[in-house]
Amino acid sequence: MGLIHIDLFTTLDGVAQAPGGPDEDAGNGFAFGGWQAPLFDDVVGGQVESGMAGMDALLLGRRTYDIFASYWPHQDGNIARLFNRIPKYVASRQAPGLDWADSTLLGPDVVASVRALRNRHEHIHVIGSLDFAQTLFAERLFDRLTLWVYPILLGSGKKVFADGVVPTNLRLIEPVIASPKGAVMQRYALAEGTPGVGDMSAAVQDG
């Protein structure tokens, strides 16, 4: 069965809205579109590209698909060639035009459609697509979560983990990587069960 990877950029206070540019998502008056750009460096770029090894499908929300479809077909380089070659699947409540080669609209039962993709692909990546990612978090319908956490606070904007996220255990599967400009990569695997609870007073007393 294939793996579903969710790849997101976030600030230290959990804002993941519009990291790439001012026109990406200005919803709710968000004024910091493109906040990632001043902090992007070669370490981040190299790790982002290496994290795509084995990717054989893209799974995107409508907004991210539109941004990618207007940009990547006109680019060259390793990432562009990869994105343009592999199948693209789009989650949308509407019927968007899918002009990017090898693009497919998921069926009305998005959760069932995503589950079916695991039988067709080995490594399916969800990049950006923050609103769509909330559905996957709520359904625990992912296998890997990669977060690049940037050392800034914005105070407002759409969060990585919004309402609807369910209690979930994760397991850190790689050493944390820090970039020269302070971004930190954390890669997790979905783990079984839900978070446990305890009483720290006993541990404090024993210490």
Side-chain angles (χ1 to χ4, degrees), residues 10-17 130 149 152-153 157-161:
T10 176
T11 66
L12 198 59
D13 58 338
V15 176
Q17 184 171 349
L130 187 58
V149 183
I152 56 174
L153 305 174
K158 296 179 182 177
K159 302 287 188 176
V160 170
F161 305 111

Side-chain angles (χ1 to χ4, degrees), residues 49 76-83:
E49 187 167 341
D76 196 10
N78 293 335
I79 294 177
R81 287 191 289 271
L82 173 64
F83 284 3

Side-chain angles (χ1 to χ4, degrees), residues 61-168:
R62 165 68 185 280
R63 187 190 301 272
T64 300
Y65 174 83
D66 287 345
I67 293 169
F68 279 22
S70 67
Y71 179 79
W72 287 112
H74 313 291
Q75 304 303 312
D76 196 10
N78 293 335
I79 294 177
R81 287 191 289 271
L82 173 64
F83 284 3
N84 290 324
R85 173 177 55 83
I86 62 178
K88 278 74 69 173
Y89 299 94
V90 185
S92 177
R93 297 184 182 91
Q94 303 173 359
L98 303 179
D99 298 328
W100 197 4
D102 208 357
S103 296
T104 302
L105 182 66
L106 295 180
D109 188 340
V110 171
V111 171
S113 296
V114 171
R115 293 188 193 281
L117 292 179
R118 281 173 157 167
N119 297 321
R120 301 175 60 183
H121 300 283
E122 293 296 321
H123 294 282
I124 306 156
H125 281 250
V126 180
I127 301 176
S129 306
L130 187 58
D131 294 336
F132 174 52
Q134 304 311 309
T135 298
L136 302 180
F137 289 141
E139 296 288 336
R140 291 170 51 93
L141 188 51
F142 66 98
D143 304 282
R144 299 289 185 269
L145 173 63
T146 300
L147 297 176
W148 275 102
V149 183
Y150 286 78
I152 56 174
L153 305 174
L154 294 181
S156 64
K158 296 179 182 177
K159 302 287 188 176
V160 170
F161 305 111
D163 294 341
V165 170
V166 297
T168 301

